[in-house]
Amino acid sequence: MNVLIFAEQRDGKLKKAALEAAAVGRAIAEATGGGVSAVLLGQGVQPMAEELGKYGVSKVYVGDDAIFARYSNDAYALGVGKAYELDQPGLVVFSATAMGKDLAPKVTGRFGIGLVSELTHYEVKDGGIEFTRPIYAGKAYKKVKGPKDVPYAVSIRPNIFPPEEKPASPEIVPLEHGVTEADVRAVVEKVLASEGELLDVAEADIVVSGGRGMKGPENYNILEELAKLLGGAVGASRAAVDSGWIDHSHQVGQTGKVIAPSLYIACGISGAIQHLAGMSTSKVIVAVNKDPEAPIFKLATYGIVGDLFDVVPKLTEEIRKLKEQQG
Amino acid sequence: MNILVCIKHVPDTETRVKVTPDGMSLDLAGANYVVNPYDEFAVEAALQLKEAKGEGEVTLLTVGGDEAVKSLRQGLAMGADKAVLCKNDDFENSDPRAVAEMLCAAIKKHDFGLVLFGKHGVGGDNQQVGSLVATLLDVPVITVVTKLEPQDGSVVCEREIEGGAEVVKAPLPAVITCQKGLNEPRYPSLKGIMAAKKKEITTFTPQDLGLDAGGLEQLDKTFELAGYDLPPKRPDGRILEGELDDQVKELVKVLHEEAKVI
Ligand SMILES: Cc1cc2nc3c(=O)[nH]c(=O)nc-3n(C[C@H](O)[C@H](O)[C@H](O)COP(=O)(O)OP(=O)(O)OC[C@H]3O[C@@H](n4cnc5c(N)ncnc54)[C@H](O)[C@@H]3O)c2cc1C
Ligand SMILES: Nc1ncnc2c1ncn2[C@@H]1O[C@H](COP(=O)(O)O)[C@@H](O)[C@H]1O
């Protein structure tokens, strides 16, 4: 089966998500006997087409045009649609990033094809493919089989499928897209970066999260310091968000972000079912809570029963020492 | 301006999910069904827009069985004017395209400036229906919106992206999907609850909407169900002991040497 991947880039850089999509696309194409192409949209994106080659993509449709300089779901859906028509793949792979989740249903809606959202696992068997995706924010998993006779699309959850290098020299096909200003109805006028922002919780490999136990917005700096040291992001429970201590974009849980970092440090978070739904598949979970009965300890890989205002600064100090030793 | 709001009747977020012994269905016994939390932001946004303008009607639409009337009544009690039930008795497993087809056909029976959705339906976690409907209606869509302001003939929104936000402007009519942060949904007043009982709920079958039930079923069957699983149990954890200083040292050591995550 031929696979077409959407290669996401922002600000002149390929997103890691694009390389993850390439890895999934290539593995599926190889297992089912087909090739993998990519569609890359933006302005000045030629160098990224070469980069995609390093990840086993054999053909790149490049829409290098001012109309794609800034993301808009109208222009991008038409651009991807053009590549879809040219390539006629059996499967289209998107990443379930903010952009991918906005774009994918615009494309599948236009062609009337099905879309499996945010899969976390797939298996090629009996000539078909079985996809696994979390439902109920990860309280259960649903497995579905991809159809054999009609094309369809999937989006893959970020940070699950590691990128894999596989050098190839891709054929570069300039995309004759015909998209003009008149096609863009929902116009992105500005992109606002959050102030002094660390990484987004959805993108970070390490997340340090604070709940009601943080007691107030002024105390988040101790988490920020630790997160910065670890190259991670700051997360929060809904109780902290609803108290107005931190923006909702940091909320982890069933009505926040569902994440699976390699390390999740929960400070002053009790572990309500809706919170656990957002982080229970993290590789390692550390809980810091003064209540030994807090449900979060049932899930934690390592737990410290204690006051977070004692524990977190000590932890930061200890990790700083480790980092200094490592140089 | 008339505003349509699509709401889904879902098991609340407290629900414990189990899988039946054959692994082929979910057991949601005892679940309490409510308006999808994100759709409450959509209802609230519609009511605020109507109140600000002092004109227009807010109509709720849902695709579901008779039990979904409970959620329609809830939205009517918040202050919506009327409601539409698109009856599809097998909606739980529905492909988002089948839901979107029904919603789209029902929407086309109305005059509207905006169609509001939730960012996603909790449970199914698809995050597709709003964008699919916009595509079928051929109108612009802005998703995951945390700020919404009408501006003569257009709407200007902020939408959440990784590490920031985009400011997006689109001409009306448009589709918006609502994210937490947009507003604080109101609780229905007693008066609202009483009034809701008398408000009109229209029911449409797929036939009423000019849709072929077989075709919808076909969409639903595109992805054959292979089964459900519960998440694997996590290995037992370890509560550290001793002096706090030693606990912290031990934690850093195991994170570095054993778990290799720092
Ligand atoms: C529709 C709906 C959706 C929801 N979605 C989400 C969601 O997406 N994400 C989410 O997180 N929640 C969600 N919730 C809320 C959830 O039910 C809980 O209310 C919330 O997670 C509790 O947050 P918390 O753990 O910070 O607060 P609490 O439950 O109050 O826990 C605070 C914890 O901090 C500990 N503590 C206090 N002081 C200290 C200290 N000095 N040192 C160490 N520990 C201390 C306490 O022992 C306690 O365990 C949702 C609820 C509903 C109804
Ligand atoms: N059965 C339904 N009836 C009405 N609206 C729905 C239904 N399913 C989904 N929606 C709407 O589409 C949004 C996104 O749902 P989903 O794509 O299922 O995650 C929801 O927040 C609702 O606004």
Side-chain angles (χ1 to χ4, degrees):
Chain A
M1 173 160 71
N2 288 328
V3 182
L4 176 67
I5 68 149
F6 171 68
E8 176 173 343
Q9 62 84 23
R10 272 204 202 256
D11 307 322
K13 267 195 70 179
L14 266 187
K15 291 288 234 176
K16 178 163 162 251
L19 307 181
E20 294 172 354
V24 170
R26 190 179 56 77
I28 290 178
E30 261 174 23
T32 54
V36 56
S37 312
V39 49
L40 173 66
L41 305 174
Q43 193 174 24
V45 292
Q46 285 290 350
M48 287 178 244
E50 301 294 338
E51 198 182 335
L52 281 167
K54 286 194 217 138
Y55 294 86
V57 173
S58 49
K59 188 190 274 188
V60 187
Y61 297 94
V62 182
D64 195 340
D65 193 314
I67 195 83
F68 299 128
R70 187 176 271 169
Y71 172 72
S72 86
N73 62 30
D74 290 317
Y76 273 52
L78 289 170
V80 174
K82 192 74 211 175
Y84 176 81
E85 284 167 343
L86 290 169
D87 206 60
Q88 306 210 335
L91 172 68
V92 189
V93 180
F94 293 92
S95 308
T97 54
M99 189 189 289
K101 288 195 265 198
D102 188 52
L103 177 62
K106 283 273 292 185
V107 175
T108 58
R110 184 164 152 231
F111 293 104
I113 62 177
L115 169 64
V116 185
S117 296
E118 283 210 50
L119 56 99
T120 53
H121 184 75
Y122 65 87
E123 220 177 302
V124 179
K125 52 177 174 190
D126 321 323
I129 316 176
E130 192 176 288
F131 298 101
T132 304
R133 59 179 299 263
I135 54 173
Y136 292 87
K139 289 180 197 165
Y141 289 86
K142 183 175 184 176
K143 293 176 290 186
V144 297
K145 292 182 189 151
K148 291 189 179 154
D149 44 353
V150 289
Y152 62 98
V154 298
S155 67
I156 59 171
R157 176 167 290 177
N159 284 334
I160 302 266
F161 303 96
E164 247 175 84
E165 291 205 25
K166 179 112 198 256
S169 19
E171 178 192 348
I172 310 277
V173 183
L175 190 66
E176 313 250 344
H177 53 80
V179 184
T180 66
E181 296 268 334
D183 295 312
V184 182
R185 296 172 296 182
V187 182
V188 178
E189 298 194 313
K190 256 194 297 216
V191 180
L192 312 169
S194 322
E195 290 162 39
E197 192 62 52
L198 299 159
L199 275 173
D200 190 89
V201 280
E203 293 186 302
D205 203 36
I206 296 184
V207 175
V208 185
S209 242
R212 203 192 310 272
M214 295 305 296
K215 303 216 160 54
E218 65 283 1
N219 297 326
Y220 270 85
N221 59 352
I222 63 171
L223 301 188
E224 274 161 25
E225 202 183 334
L226 178 55
K228 209 175 269 168
L229 188 62
L230 292 168
V234 172
S237 72
R238 169 158 160 190
V241 171
D242 283 358
S243 306
W245 301 345
I246 185 165
D247 189 73
H248 172 257
S249 57
H250 296 264
Q251 183 177 317
V252 172
Q254 185 151 9
T255 53
K257 292 187 171 134
V258 177
I259 57 174
S262 44
L263 174 59
Y264 187 82
I265 307 181
C267 308
I269 293 178
S270 61
I273 185 169
Q274 296 95 346
H275 189 79
L276 301 184
M279 42 62 78
S280 63
T281 55
S282 305
K283 192 167 150 230
V284 172
I285 296 171
V286 172
V288 179
N289 196 303
K290 63 181 185 189
D291 172 10
E293 301 298 321
I296 187 83
F297 285 122
K298 292 212 182 72
L299 210 71
T301 327
Y302 307 107
I304 293 187
V305 179
D307 189 319
L308 73 94
F309 295 103
D310 294 332
V311 178
V312 175
K314 280 189 204 289
L315 184 58
T316 308
E317 218 22 70
E318 220 33 61
I319 292 174
R320 182 165 291 131
K321 275 192 221 155
L322 174 76
K323 299 263 168 190
E324 276 162 11
Q325 276 170 23
Q326 290 174 322
Chain B
M1 173 171 73
N2 292 329
I3 303 175
L4 308 179
V5 187
C6 297
I7 66 173
K8 185 174 187 189
H9 188 60
V10 300
D12 75 15
T13 56
E14 289 285 337
T15 302
R16 308 227 164 231
V17 179
K18 285 185 263 168
V19 174
T20 55
D22 67 355
M24 291 307 281
S25 12
L26 291 178
D27 173 3
L28 298 170
N32 175 39
Y33 282 73
V34 295
V35 178
N36 175 34
Y38 292 101
D39 303 349
E40 290 185 343
F41 302 124
V43 175
E44 179 62 35
L47 296 174
Q48 287 184 13
L49 286 169
K50 177 185 159 177
E51 285 157 6
K53 284 244 161 118
E55 52 101 13
E57 260 187 340
V58 174
T59 305
L60 309 174
L61 300 107
T62 195
V63 174
D66 287 325
E67 63 285 352
V69 167
K70 180 186 165 203
S71 281
L72 292 177
R73 291 273 177 227
Q74 173 76 7
L76 292 170
M78 286 173 76
D81 298 293
K82 49 192 184 133
V84 174
L85 170 67
C86 304
K87 245 181 102 143
N88 171 359
D89 287 319
D90 184 32
F91 86 106
E92 189 71 59
N93 280 316
S94 266
D95 188 289
R97 287 174 299 163
V99 177
E101 290 272 2
M102 283 197 88
L103 286 173
C104 179
I107 287 167
K108 282 184 172 158
K109 291 182 179 281
H110 296 78
D111 255 345
F112 62 91
L114 278 174
V115 193
L116 304 184
F117 291 80
K119 179 200 81 164
H120 87 266
V122 306
D125 298 357
N126 285 304
Q127 208 166 328
Q128 295 185 26
V129 172
S131 302
L132 291 178
V133 168
T135 308
L136 292 173
L137 291 171
D138 195 20
V139 302
V141 55
I142 310 179
T143 61
V144 199
V145 164
T146 54
K147 236 186 221 171
L148 186 168
E149 230 171 85
Q151 234 177 47
D152 51 355
S154 326
V155 60
V156 181
C157 297
E158 264 182 47
R159 63 181 300 269
E160 207 175 272
I161 60 170
E162 292 93 355
E166 288 173 341
V167 180
V168 190
K169 182 173 182 178
L172 300 178
V175 165
I176 308 281
T177 79
C178 302
Q179 164 71 320
K180 184 175 174 181
L182 180 59
N183 53 42
E184 280 299 326
R186 67 193 68 186
Y187 290 103
S189 64
L190 198 57
K191 204 170 132 224
I193 295 171
M194 298 310 289
K197 292 189 175 145
K198 295 196 206 88
K199 289 180 181 168
E200 176 193 335
I201 298 183
T202 313
T203 302
F204 292 128
T205 61
Q207 289 72 24
D208 296 336
L209 294 169
L211 295 170
D212 160 32
L216 294 177
E217 206 183 326
Q218 212 44 49
L219 288 180
D220 226 27
K221 284 198 183 136
T222 309
F223 296 102
E224 188 192 334
L225 180 69
Y228 293 98
D229 280 331
L230 291 177
K233 219 176 119 20
R234 291 187 71 87
D236 282 340
R238 180 175 151 207
I239 304 288
L240 303 174
E241 282 167 358
E243 288 295 316
L244 185 55
D245 281 339
D246 297 333
Q247 287 190 32
V248 170
K249 284 202 176 76
E250 175 67 10
L251 177 62
V252 171
K253 186 166 168 235
V254 290
L255 289 178
H256 183 56
E257 291 174 8
E258 223 171 74
K260 298 192 170 66
V261 288
I262 61 173

